[in-house]
Amino acid sequence: MGHLTLVAVLTVLFSLFVEAEANSFVYNYERLRIGGLVFAILLISAGVGFLLYGKCKKRGKHTDNSSEI
């Protein structure tokens, strides 16, 4: 998933800076908004993935510990 995130971030950055205009202080607000939304979605999904990382572990041999109580 790390490579996919890197590709997505590079794609957004490339699309934001591809068109060089004569006046560098004129912004394309639609692209800036879309880039910000994509960046926010990536941050939120990374946060959710980080929170759920410890809860979704691969289970090995299942032992029944209830009989030892």
Side-chain angles (χ1 to χ4, degrees):
M1 178 149 163
H3 296 294
L4 181 62
T5 306
L6 178 64
V7 169
V9 169
L10 288 176
T11 303
V12 169
L13 289 176
F14 181 75
S15 68
L16 287 175
F17 298 114
V18 126
E19 290 182 19
E21 297 180 16
N23 188 356
S24 61
F25 294 105
V26 175
Y27 298 108
N28 186 349
Y29 289 105
E30 183 179 353
R31 281 193 178 184
L32 188 62
R33 187 184 77 213
I34 292 172
L37 287 173
V38 169
F39 187 67
I41 289 170
L42 289 174
L43 284 178
I44 290 170
S45 61
V48 169
F50 181 72
L51 289 174
L52 296 178
Y53 179 72
K55 297 184 184 215
C56 300
K57 291 184 179 178
K58 206 176 213 185
R59 295 183 183 195
K61 294 181 180 178
H62 183 66
T63 58
D64 188 18
N65 292 334
S66 62
S67 62
E68 296 178 8
I69 298 178

